[in-house]
Amino acid sequence: MSRTGKKPIPIPSGVKVEIKDNLVKVNGPKGELKRVIHPSMEVESDQETITVKRPSDSKFHKSLHGVTRTIIANMITGVTSEYRKGLEIQGIGYKAELLGKKLNLSLGYSHPIMFVPPPGLKIELEGSNRIKVSGVDKELVGLIAAKIRSFRPPEPYKGKGIRYEGEIVRKKAGKTAT
């Protein structure tokens, strides 16, 4: 049996979980999340915990079991304490600024890049070279952070570009004159 899948998910105080057919709805102090899960997974809830059960021991159901449990646990964690992802901008002349809710990025191209975050996500700036993406949905926070990073990924010769907080970029040696 899946070790991850068979663990019960504790429900903290202040969080309300509704399960109807394949729809799991989680309400908490930071927001609300909804997710449709696979119809073969069985989700049961009492006042303190949620358990996920699978119908058989086939490889497909085993893989779904742990993933379903982890997705529901991430939803509960997200509505109690938001997920955060940090990005750093490195390079001379590279900067970011907020214009209302839009993120304006100057990354060495001939034009600035305007990025509008989806609803339910917050983008904050610390200085002009640190970006913080936060929200209740773990998947969406990671997706938007990856999207912002993709505008100018770090290059291996000088290390210029947008990188995740704490990411180490291995540098290559440049050409040497003979």
Side-chain angles (χ1 to χ4, degrees):
M1 190 156 194
S2 169
R3 288 186 213 168
T4 304
K6 69 180 177 181
K7 277 196 225 170
I9 306 165
I11 301 174
S13 61
V15 175
K16 185 181 171 195
V17 179
E18 289 180 40
I19 302 166
K20 289 184 182 174
D21 299 327
N22 300 338
L23 181 72
V24 177
K25 190 187 291 187
V26 180
N27 273 326
K30 300 283 184 178
E32 177 185 356
L33 288 174
K34 296 177 194 173
R35 185 74 179 236
V36 177
I37 59 167
H38 196 273
S40 65
M41 289 295 112
E42 205 175 301
V43 181
E44 297 172 352
S45 173
D46 58 7
Q47 296 297 335
E48 297 95 32
T49 59
I50 297 173
T51 53
V52 179
K53 295 181 181 173
R54 64 175 182 238
S56 72
D57 283 341
S58 69
K59 189 173 184 178
F60 178 69
H61 288 140
K62 283 182 178 180
S63 64
L64 272 180
H65 191 204
V67 168
T68 304
R69 187 246 179 232
T70 303
I71 287 172
I72 295 170
N74 286 343
M75 289 169 65
I76 291 173
T77 304
V79 297
T80 54
S81 61
E82 291 183 331
Y83 286 102
R84 298 180 70 89
K85 200 84 160 166
L87 297 163
E88 298 173 352
I89 300 175
Q90 291 190 352
I92 296 175
Y94 292 7
K95 65 179 181 173
E97 60 184 350
L98 279 175
L99 303 173
K101 290 192 175 194
K102 296 179 184 176
L103 181 67
N104 186 16
L105 298 164
S106 299
L107 300 173
Y109 295 119
S110 62
H111 60 283
I113 298 170
M114 292 293 277
F115 180 74
V116 181
L121 223 65
K122 288 185 280 186
I123 294 183
E124 301 166 355
L125 288 180
E126 294 175 2
S128 63
N129 64 346
R130 289 196 185 282
I131 304 169
K132 299 283 185 197
V133 181
S134 61
V136 294
D137 191 356
K138 184 177 187 177
E139 185 179 351
L140 187 62
V141 169
L143 182 74
I144 295 304
K147 176 76 174 165
I148 293 171
R149 183 183 182 272
S150 73
F151 293 138
R152 180 70 90 168
E155 54 97 13
Y157 296 103
K158 292 184 181 177
K160 294 167 38 172
I162 301 175
R163 61 180 75 183
Y164 294 116
E165 221 168 54
E167 180 182 2
I168 297 169
V169 177
R170 291 182 56 190
K171 293 187 179 174
K172 293 181 178 180
K175 273 202 234 176
T176 55
T178 54

